[in-house]
Amino acid sequence: MYYATRSRLRLPCLALLCLLAWTLHPATALAGEKPATKAEKKAILLVTFGTSVASAQKSFQAVEQAVKARFPGVETRWAYTAKMIRRKLADQGQVHLSPAQALANLAEDGYTRVAMQSLHVIPGEEFEGLKETAARFAGMPKGPSRVEVGQPLLAGAEDMLRTAKAMLAHAPKERKAKDALVFMGHGTHHFANAAYPAMAYVFQKLDPNVSLGTVEGYPSLEEVKAELKARGNKKAWLIPFMSVAGDHAMNDMAGEEEDSWKSDLGKAGVSCQPVLTGMAEHPEIAAIWLDHLQEALERLEK
Ligand code: CO
């Protein structure tokens, strides 16, 4: 029959064509190897909330120097997650990019694999946003084929112990044993806020005169005040538990206003001495972020 003859002919022809196409295609993967591509170009994107305080920028410079020393020759760029801060700095003529803008620029410049390192303290809202941005950018046409996000500072119990030890090692030399160390973290409504009471616990295991509170989460200044009172601390050193000694540290913590931590604790009979150093200025703290960056770079190779 006419119909049968045609289909008998057509099938072998199709099969032959498919076989030809398959063997000639450069991406043919007999042993499951990846298609041959041009050389991958790797970059590091350091991502912070950002700061509008010029003197706090030195924290970022310290991190950048450490990154360049540990990963020499890898293109390293910055992005700020806080739109409010990007706008404020833009008004002063300083351009800072969002993570998405920075990724787009990296793609434009031919970078195919990007390790985005979160310089945030906890895996909260900012970090989640970063992971979402990374997931959407990876594999975009003409974009980077892979984007991996490095964990923030406190990604597990080991990070917490390392952080506590490093911060205690950097306690002011003039501190006496009975002086309290009061760390001020940011705090959030996000579940990751749980890292702060966890850190307070770790600190107190190492040094019973340490307290940790947050500006916007739990524990608050009220809990800190109650702890100082119960322990009879008459003096406290106020230290930012944030990557930079920025606006919160200078105003909410160390400011002269009535509601600053310094004033509030002062009224409660605790004389306070603020220390305006960002956590990122300490090499042992930067090293934790860098370890997380190394893990992200290693995931890019897989
Ligand atoms: Co804030």
Side-chain angles (χ1 to χ4, degrees), residues 49 84-85 186-187 215-216 242 247-248 252:
F49 184 80
M84 181 190 70
I85 288 173
H186 194 281
V215 188
E216 290 176 20
M242 300 187 193
D247 196 50
H248 285 302
D252 299 320

Side-chain angles (χ1 to χ4, degrees), residues 66-88:
V67 168
K68 286 185 168 159
R70 183 148 157 193
F71 309 104
V74 184
E75 174 74 5
T76 302
R77 298 187 187 180
W78 284 90
Y80 281 17
T81 50
K83 192 175 201 170
M84 181 190 70
I85 288 173
R86 292 198 307 270
R87 284 214 177 129
K88 203 167 166 183

